[in-house]
């Protein structure tokens, strides 16, 4: 605690004596969960302050207390030296505290313009100025360099674009204090660059920025100071320049990680899956091959058609042309069940929307694909059911209170493990991972990578979709680049650190 | 730079798609207008009496009450809620105003008190839903049950005759040839249109239906907006209760049974989505007049009353199906 | 020539009820006999007053020769009938309305019906227990229906005036469902050991209540009088589970209604009121020719 | 290792929380049982006739039909759907079986045909919802309207008397002292319990109610499960129609009006969530017998029928509120 204050004084000495925002003993409980334990933090005017920590460390909770989403259970908050309640979003916005939250919280049915001005509409004589708002919104978007149509219905945008809308919205509200909670998780490189440029401009204008991310390179690229949270407790606050990645990780998880991108070399076996000129909604003419022990990586921009391609392989959407071969034999996959029964597993892009029955038990989620096997006669064998669930909870090391705990009670990384775990019992041989590490902390990422290795060693093949290029480099044996629904280039043994190759891949993906 | 220009190109396509979407939205209501017009043309040719001044003004009078009810219901449905109590509120209000009038209250005072009672019911709904956390379906189902009971208890099951002829005469009168009852639709719909489509409160209702959390984080007082929506629905229902009392000249707690379902059906036929965030003012009006036309036409064509039910059921499926298709095409 | 056929719509209270279907079939027969087109209209529930007003309005815009109507509610239909009478002759059937515009009126006196029921019930109780004494109950189908209220009124007045020994121990209002009547009746039997008689004032209530009597095998102890009839009630009557039925003459009401309307539309003199009467039918008289005519109307 | 131990420690807290949650789940149904027991005790003391063999068997008979209906409805509600048509299906089935019996079909054949007709209605609902993409509320509202029309058309509004005494006698009979009608609840509830809580299909229903897309991607044939849920609901309703016909000895298309709302209310009182994925077999049974006890008790206490409605409405709010509280405390 002393350290914080000293730190604060040191960096604050330049401008003013009173910090912009000061937290003292901030505390938050959700029922039995103690999410934040007496956190003290100081945010200086005009700085970019990073907050890092594992999944469930309490980062988002801290933000939600500052923006009035949740009401704190204890402690005090001082805004320019004066104590404030921050009991409602309205109040927070009033001080100029705005946030771009981790999950996109906008109204999907409304237009981009309507979302930008929500709660702050332009009215004349009590009437909405529809056209003026669209015009104004377009101007704002153009000015910050986001290429988004202000009149578009929000749900027609990609998640990344929606995140940008949320960003634009937060920045236009006379903001003095702006919080980004994992803003780049769903952004393409292009969009990330736009965002960083914006953050630079905001800093120049004197806006104080809090930046939360699991991508440590971003922390070093952008921020002035960095605070670490662990288990809801404050660990340290340092000048970013005075620390390094290793130290941060140690602070976050109290141990060092030698190799973040974990990959063992495993010899390739026989071919598992091959597609020949496969076409469907959103992709065309895609031919790929996966062998036992092999990871193929699919890289591309959001909307490149990678998800559509794998979902078609999985039978979610019908293919319109081409052929799928399973272990050399042509197969017809018309629905998910066909894919599952031959041994294909899909870990979908969105855990919340596609992967989990959140309010149901961990065990039910794990067993969902294999209930047929757990059934004796008409009735489920309760012992087999429990055993199957427990085995996966153990094998994949899911941290859960019990197999009956609702999936929603687990932290993001552990939820991801459920989605993976349910296919292990089933005995799938081809695993399709669509953005498996979005929003996952470094420690859990390593766990997931280790899991990849286990799968490969057991003779499975993996298709990995990721928009996070370092991940694809390190993990994929073969890298395919998608652009506008077509496979435009393939690279063998992609885990090379050659800069030239990176550039090539990027160029291919963007179609420059 | 060249990357950006390429991306820009792809964005242009998207922009065009959005414009088209907006056009389809207009098309939807046009399709309903077309459907209504088609029904009217067919009826004009197949009956001698449909296209007479008398019948058209009957039609306008008959559709008026469900139209207002559907309009009020729409506010609630846009927030992804539902109000099952409106029929009961209509019956209850008819009792209240009849009681007040027979006890010598002046018409204006009686109307104000009745509307205030509607307001109170709406507030109670919103209280139950937002403070007690009850699902709207259950909250309004409970008041539906209870309100009918209270109305019956007050009157001891009897009907209260309204002897005030000024009051009852109103429902039969007209103004520049258009029935007063239809004017009441206009009187409700115009401010409703401004409220829903032109004011920030309307915008907030859509926002809540779309994503309550997002609305809340934008500083919208979502609780207050829920109060507003349920109050408006109950107010419209109380107003319809007054109109009903004027039209039938009595107050009776069992009246308007099942009108809630008709109101919801009208609203959905008019393009309102029961999942929230989709709806308009003109939609429910069109929907209710489509249903009214079915009944009116069936009467004129001397179609068996039982067939009317079957036709209504089938038409609801057909219309909502095509509406859904159109939305999906977006 | 077919174009010359006059149109006389008949508007009943509730097309979904058997009673009104009999009225409609009488009207249909009259239409056939007299060469009149008779559109058969009506609300879908006796309590749907607004629905009936709409139907009346629609019927008027058809420019009919005359209209036969059974008003659902006395006060409510008054003004609309006044309005309609400006365009054509109006003949009322079954129940009255607050209007002086009726050219003629063919009515069942429902208050009288209630009285007849009370007398029938008292007689049955007297026959069984020696004296008209003990508890009686009333089951009404739905609240707020004029004719049901009148039957209740007649029944209660008659009991109070003529049978001081009979006590009204329960006055129940159901929701129009036979099952509810059954449940209410069962609970009445359970709760009131001294119950000796029940008046179920319409068809559906009599069906439910009769079933309860049969189910609990208390036909001997508890006398049930119903109102209106169908073959279910006739069977209950012949089984002894129902003591008596108060029946109207709906077929005649429909037939005469159209006939009178035609006459009135031609400007002929018609009687201002006709009472179509109520009849008490018991197991003893149920096989008489008149009873059979009333119990088995020619519905087609 | 030290990380893991740290994590383990924080998990211990969570473990305790979960255990408590499970206990509260049991508590909920216990609370309902307690409520029912409390009502019974109060009635036993305040009336002389409540606690008699005769009345208890009446009570069991009276609650039986809504209980079965609520059970069927629960399957649908667990998938986050709703079935508004069940009342209409009951009325319609009573007509069908009465027609079949009066036309000389043997009882068993008549029952099978009637159930098959219920099956067809359920399939049609599922078809409209999963293939045509209609909201369940609208789809079943439409068939509710249409089915009543079809039933009335077939019978021309008349009631069809059932003269088959074996058939009608069944509803009056009992077996080892328990009324046959209540045995029917058992006959439906036991397989329903096994189906919902012990078979994989039950798990799939919950999964669909929680997240249809996730269930689909886990290999659950979600369309087929929707067919199953709506079919079960309609089958239960058709079965209740048969029981109703046996009980009142008639077939009549207007019977069972409003029973859909009673069934939904029973189910929700029994802890089913209208948002899906929460529900049980014993819940709706308890819920329906709570509502039946209110009516039975009110009749015995000679409470005004209008008060019964008010009490029911208030109790629905109170029970669902406390149920919600309990859930939130989790
Ligand atoms: N609304 C809530 N109800 C109950 N528990 C909650 C709630 N929100 C957060 N928690 C719990 O509080 C703790 C901190 O969560 P928080 O979302 O702040 O983590 P985080 O650091 O943002 O993690 P991530 O990196 O995964 O986003 C977790 O244990 C979480 O389960
Ligand atoms: N311009 C657009 N308008 C509407 N929806 C879009 C648009 N572009 C993409 N989408 C949708 O966004 C989602 C992401 O697209 P897709 O799955 O094809 O991309 P991807 O290559 O898998 O990208 P990623 O997996 O990185 O998100 C898809 O559901 C797609 O239909
Ligand atoms: Mg977070
Ligand atoms: Mg994708």
């Amino acid at each position: 605690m002393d350290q914080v204050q000293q730190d604060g004084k040191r960096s604050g000495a330049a401008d003013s004596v009173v910090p912009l925002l000061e937290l003292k003993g901030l505390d938050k409980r959700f029922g039995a969960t103690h999410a934040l334990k007496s956190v003290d933090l100081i945010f200086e005017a005009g700085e970019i302050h990073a907050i890092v920590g594992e999944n469930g460390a309490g980062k988002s909770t801290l933000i939600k207390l500052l923006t009035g989403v949740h009401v704190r259970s204890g402690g005090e908050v001082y805004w320019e030296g004066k104590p404030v309640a921050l009991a409602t979003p309205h109040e927070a916005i009033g001080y100029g505290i705005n946030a771009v939250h981790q999950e996109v919280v906008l109204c999907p049915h409304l237009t981009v313009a309507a979302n930008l001005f929500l709660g702050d509409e332009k009215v004349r004589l009590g009437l909405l100025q529809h056209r003026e708002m669209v015009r104004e919104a377009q101007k704002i978007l153009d000015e910050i360099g986001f290429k988004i149509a202000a009149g578009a219905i929000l749900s027609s945008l990609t998640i990344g674009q929606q995140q940008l809308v949320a960003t634009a919205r937060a920045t236009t509200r006379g903001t003095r204090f702006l919080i980004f909670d994992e803003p780049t998780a769903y952004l393409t490189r292009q969009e990330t660059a736009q965002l960083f440029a914006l953050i630079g401009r905001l800093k120049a204008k004197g806006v104080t920025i809090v930046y939360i991310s699991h991508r440590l390179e971003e922390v070093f690229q952008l921020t002035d100071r960095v605070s670490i949270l662990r288990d809801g407790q404050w660990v340290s606050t340092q000048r970013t320049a005075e620390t390094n990645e290793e130290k941060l990780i140690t602070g976050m998880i109290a141990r060092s990680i030698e190799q973040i991108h974990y990959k063992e070399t495993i010899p390739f076996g026989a071919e598992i899956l091959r597609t020949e000129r496969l076409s469907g909604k959103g992709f065309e003419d895609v031919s790929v091959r996966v062998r036992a022990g092999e990871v193929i990586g699919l890289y591309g921009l959001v909307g490149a058609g990678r998800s559509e391609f794998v979902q078609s392989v999985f039978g979610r959407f019908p293919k319109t042309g081409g052929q799928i071969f399973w272990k050399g034999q042509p197969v017809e996959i018309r629905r998910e069940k066909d894919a599952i029964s031959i041994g294909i597993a899909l870990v979908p892009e969105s855990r919340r929307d596609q992967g989990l029955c959140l309010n149901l038990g961990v065990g039910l989620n794990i067993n969902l694909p294999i209930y047929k096997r757990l059934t004796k006669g008409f009735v489920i064998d309760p012992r087999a059911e429990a055993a199957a669930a427990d085995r996966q909870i153990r094998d994949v090391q899911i941290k859960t209170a019990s197999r009956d705990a609702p999936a929603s009670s687990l932290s993001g990384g552990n939820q991801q493990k459920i989605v993976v775990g349910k296919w292990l019992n089933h005995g799938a041989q081809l695993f399709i991972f669509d953005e498996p590490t979005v929003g996952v902390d470094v420690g859990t990422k390593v766990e997931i990578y280790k899991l990849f290795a286990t799968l490969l060693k057991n003779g499975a093949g993996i298709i990995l979709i990721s928009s996070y290029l370092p991940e694809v480099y390190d993990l994929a044996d073969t890298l395919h680049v998608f652009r506008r629904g077509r496979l435009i280039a393939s690279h063998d043994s992609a885990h090379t650190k050659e800069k030239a190759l990176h550039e090539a891949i990027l160029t291919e993906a963007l179609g420059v | 730079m060249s990357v950006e220009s390429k991306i820009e190109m792809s964005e242009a396509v998207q922009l065009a798609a959005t414009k088209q979407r907006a056009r389809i939205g207009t098309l939807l209501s046009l399709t309903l207008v077309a459907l209504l017009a088609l029904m009217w043309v067919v009826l004009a040719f197949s009956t001698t009496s449909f296209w007479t001044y008398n019948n058209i003004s009957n039609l306008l009078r008959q559709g008026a009450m469900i139209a207002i009810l559907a309009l009020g219901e729409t506010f609630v449905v846009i927030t992804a809620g539902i109000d099952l109590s409106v029929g009961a509120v209509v019956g209850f209000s008819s009792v209240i105003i009849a009681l007040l009038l027979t006890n010598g209250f002046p018409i204006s005072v009686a109307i104000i008190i009745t509307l205030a009672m509607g307001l109170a019911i709406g507030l109670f709904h919103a209280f139950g839903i937002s403070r007690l956390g009850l699902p709207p379906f259950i909250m309004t189902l409970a008041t539906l049950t209870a309100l009918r009971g209270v109305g019956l208890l007050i009157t001891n099951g009897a009907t209260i005759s309204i002897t005030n002829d000024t009051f009852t005469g109103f429902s039969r009168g007209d103004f520049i040839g258009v029935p007063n009852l239809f004017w009441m639709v206009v009187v409700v719909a115009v401010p409703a249109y401004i409220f829903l489509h032109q004011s920030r409160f309307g915008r907030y209702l859509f926002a809540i239906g779309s994503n309550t959390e997002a609305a809340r984080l934008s500083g919208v007082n979502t609780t207050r907006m829920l109060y507003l929506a349920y109050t408006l629905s109950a107010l419209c229902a109380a107003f319809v209760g007054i109109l009903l009392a004027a039209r039938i000249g009595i107050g009776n707690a069992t009246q308007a049974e099942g009108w809630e379902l008709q109101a919801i059906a009208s609203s959905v036929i008019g393009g309102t989505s029961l999942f929230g965030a989709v709806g308009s003012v003109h939609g429910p009006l069109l929907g209710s007049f489509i249903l009214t036309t079915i009944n009116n036409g069936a009467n004129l064509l001397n179609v068996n009353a039982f067939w009317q039910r079957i036709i209504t059921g089938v038409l609801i499926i057909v219309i909502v199906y095509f509406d859904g298709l159109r939305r999906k095409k977006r | 020539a077919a174009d010359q056929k006059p149109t006389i719509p008949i508007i009943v209270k509730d097309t979904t009820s058997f009673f009104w279907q009999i009225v409609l079939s009488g009207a249909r027969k009259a239409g056939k006999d007299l060469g009149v087109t008779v559109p058969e209209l009506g609300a879908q529930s006796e309590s749907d007053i607004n629905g009936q007003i709409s139907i009346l309005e629609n019927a008027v815009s058809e420019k009919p020769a005359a209209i036969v109507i059974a008003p659902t509610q006395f006060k409510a239909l008054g003004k609309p009938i006044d309005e309609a009478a400006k365009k054509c002759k109006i003949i009322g059937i079954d129940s009255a309305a607050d209007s002086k515009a009726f050219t003629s009126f063919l009515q069942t006196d429902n208050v009288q019906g209630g009285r007849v029921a009370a007398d029938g019930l008292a007689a049955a109780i007297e026959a069984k227990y020696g004296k008209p004494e003990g508890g009686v109950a009333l089951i009404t189908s739905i609240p707020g229906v004029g004719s049901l209220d009148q039957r209740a009124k007649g029944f209660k007045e008659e009991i109070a005036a003529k049978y001081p020994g009979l006590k009204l121990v329960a006055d129940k209002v159901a929701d129009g469902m036979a099952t509810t009547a059954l449940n209410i009746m069962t609970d009445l039997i359970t709760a009131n050991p001294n119950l000796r008689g029940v008046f179920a004032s319409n068809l559906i209530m009599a069906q439910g209540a009769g079933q309860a009597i049969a189910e609990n095998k208390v036909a001997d102890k508890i006398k049930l009088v119903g109102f209106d009839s169908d073959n279910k009630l006739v069977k209950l009557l012949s089984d002894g589970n129902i003591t008596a039925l108060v029946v109207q003459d709906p077929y005649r009401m429909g037939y005469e209604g159209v006939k009178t309307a035609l006459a009135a539309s031609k400007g002929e003199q018609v009687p201002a009121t006709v009472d179509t009467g109520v009849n008490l039918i018991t197991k003893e008289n149920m096989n008489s020719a008149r009873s059979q005519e009333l119990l088995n109307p020619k519905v087609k």
Side-chain angles (χ1 to χ4, degrees), chain A residues 32 230 253 255 314 316 335-337 340 346 348 352-360 364 368-369 371-372 375 378-380 385 397 399-402 405-406 409-410 422-423:
Chain A
R230 186 169 70 219
I253 61 177
R255 97 180 134 157
F314 193 65
R316 178 66 181 88
R335 55 169 68 129
E336 300 83 356
K337 228 175 125 187
I340 292 167
L346 174 71
R352 281 163 55 120
D353 296 341
Q354 303 172 295
L356 287 173
C357 297
L358 276 174
N359 56 351
L360 297 178
L364 192 148
L368 205 48
Y371 267 117
K372 198 165 191 176
T375 301
F378 184 74
V379 178
I380 293 169
E385 186 187 21
Q397 297 180 8
K399 308 287 187 303
T400 174
S402 82
S409 70
L410 307 197
K422 70 173 156 190
W423 297 112

Side-chain angles (χ1 to χ4, degrees), chain A residues 375-426:
Chain A
T375 301
K376 268 194 197 144
F378 184 74
V379 178
I380 293 169
D381 178 355
R383 243 177 274 156
E385 186 187 21
D390 287 342
R391 202 175 79 213
Q392 282 327 311
I393 291 174
R394 202 178 51 238
D395 286 1
V396 211
Q397 297 180 8
I398 299 170
K399 308 287 187 303
T400 174
S402 82
R403 71 180 99 85
D404 295 324
S408 57
S409 70
L410 307 197
S411 79
N414 284 303
Q415 288 180 1
Q416 187 72 13
K417 287 179 183 175
I418 300 178
V419 187
V420 177
K422 70 173 156 190
W423 297 112
L424 299 181
N425 266 335
H426 181 261

